[in-house]
Amino acid sequence: MSRPWLSLFLLLAVGGLLGLIGNVAKLAAASGWPPVALLLWSLLGAGGLLCLLALARGEAPSLRRPYLRYYLISGLVSISLPNALLFSAIPHVGAGFASLCLAFPPLLTYVLALALRMEGLQRLRLLGILIGLAGSLILALGKLGSGDSPLLWVLATLVMPVFLAIGNVYRSRHWPEGARPLQLAPGMLLAGALLLLPLGLFGVELRPAWEQAAGAWWLAAEVALFAGMYALYFVLQKVAGAVYLSQIGSVTAITGAAVAIFLLGEQGSASMLLAALCTTVGVTLVALRPAR
């Protein structure tokens, strides 16, 4: 498979899996799972699975200082902060809106990458990112205008992409020399889980809710989705770069919103449809010109 087509395949796969993660989180919350507890145990399970896979392939995660620093920082800005916001906000704003907000990171990532001279200015890619951002703005304004969600949670959901953009750039800029994707994914997931533990000191519920069969199944689903997504996530970043990687948000937006509306019965809107069309055009334009 040629590099452009491999990049596009990975983009669609990672974005699709991430879109499902948000919807499963909503279903798990309805079955009694506290949002942050679900995230914590999902990350531990997925990190453990990928660690075993890495060991089986002879690519054990390194415990050297540069790697540990990479795990902690990427785990904080790419895992703990954005996903804690995502999982906590979904019961208040809906999985569809939360998923579509993930289309915001591309422009932020591109601006950061340009500022750090990690990327060159390419008109076609910039146009695609701007069209995707326009769709995100339409979505956000439509949600705020509907008045069906608390303003605080809407704003919290809109902050989430900022952390994702910072994480995209950090991981590319500080990728440990010689590291393979499967060496980095388990460390980032496990570090992200450990960084959630202090929240328990502030009254955040972290105990698992797997007493009932449904709770255990939802956890198993999230573990599988996280493991599958991050097994491919770092491969995509290595192959295509930070800005191209950020386009997973556009795919996630469409996948997550479609599942939320057509399978979970959430209310759709004209603004959501227009936003989906914009993100489709945007990701197509960017996919025509891989970052590397």
Side-chain angles (χ1 to χ4, degrees):
M1 184 182 294
S2 65
R3 193 166 188 170
W5 286 108
L6 175 61
S7 298
L8 181 58
F9 168 77
L10 291 171
L11 179 74
L12 296 175
V14 173
L17 290 172
L18 182 55
L20 293 176
I21 284 174
N23 284 283
V24 171
K26 177 179 179 177
L27 294 170
S31 73
W33 267 99
V36 179
L38 176 65
L39 175 61
L40 169 65
W41 292 95
S42 298
L43 294 176
L44 286 173
L49 282 178
L50 291 183
C51 192
L52 292 175
L53 178 60
L55 291 172
R57 292 173 57 91
E59 300 177 9
S62 175
L63 297 179
R64 288 181 292 168
R65 182 174 295 180
Y67 283 78
L68 293 177
R69 181 172 59 247
Y70 187 90
Y71 300 152
L72 287 172
I73 296 177
S74 60
L76 177 66
V77 296
S78 298
I79 300 293
S80 299
L81 291 174
N83 281 289
L85 287 173
L86 174 67
F87 277 50
S88 299
I90 282 175
H92 303 280
V93 301
F97 175 77
S99 296
L100 284 171
C101 282
L102 290 170
F104 275 97
L107 181 60
L108 298 173
T109 302
Y110 193 51
V111 170
L112 289 173
L114 285 174
L116 296 172
R117 298 184 179 180
M118 295 172 61
E119 300 281 348
L121 182 62
Q122 298 177 11
R123 293 180 181 178
L124 186 63
R125 296 178 67 230
L126 180 59
L127 176 62
I129 288 171
L130 290 174
I131 292 174
L133 178 65
S136 300
L137 292 175
I138 292 170
L139 170 74
L141 293 174
K143 189 66 172 179
L144 289 172
S146 68
D148 61 357
S149 298
L151 176 61
L152 178 63
W153 283 111
V154 172
L155 294 177
T157 311
L158 294 174
V159 168
M160 172 182 58
V162 176
F163 294 116
L164 293 174
I166 294 172
N168 289 339
V169 173
Y170 173 81
R171 290 191 313 276
S172 283
R173 191 172 178 83
H174 297 280
W175 187 289
E177 185 176 356
R180 300 180 65 84
L182 194 54
Q183 289 180 293
L184 300 178
M188 187 178 77
L189 289 173
L190 293 174
L194 293 176
L195 289 168
L196 292 173
L197 292 177
L199 294 177
L201 300 175
F202 299 94
V204 177
E205 182 60 69
L206 299 179
R207 289 180 298 177
W210 52 37
E211 294 84 0
Q212 298 181 358
W217 280 112
W218 291 130
L219 175 61
E222 287 287 50
V223 167
L225 289 171
F226 268 108
M229 188 189 79
Y230 281 103
L232 302 175
Y233 190 89
F234 277 91
V235 177
L236 175 60
Q237 179 148 11
K238 187 69 172 178
V239 169
V243 174
Y244 192 92
L245 173 77
S246 71
Q247 288 295 306
I248 63 174
S250 299
V251 180
T252 299
I254 297 171
T255 304
V259 171
I261 293 171
F262 295 112
L263 296 183
L264 302 187
E266 290 190 4
Q267 185 66 41
S269 66
S271 62
M272 293 180 73
L273 176 60
L274 184 56
L277 291 174
C278 288
T279 52
T280 300
V281 173
V283 74
T284 301
L285 290 176
V286 173
L288 294 175
R289 293 287 297 275
R292 293 182 184 178

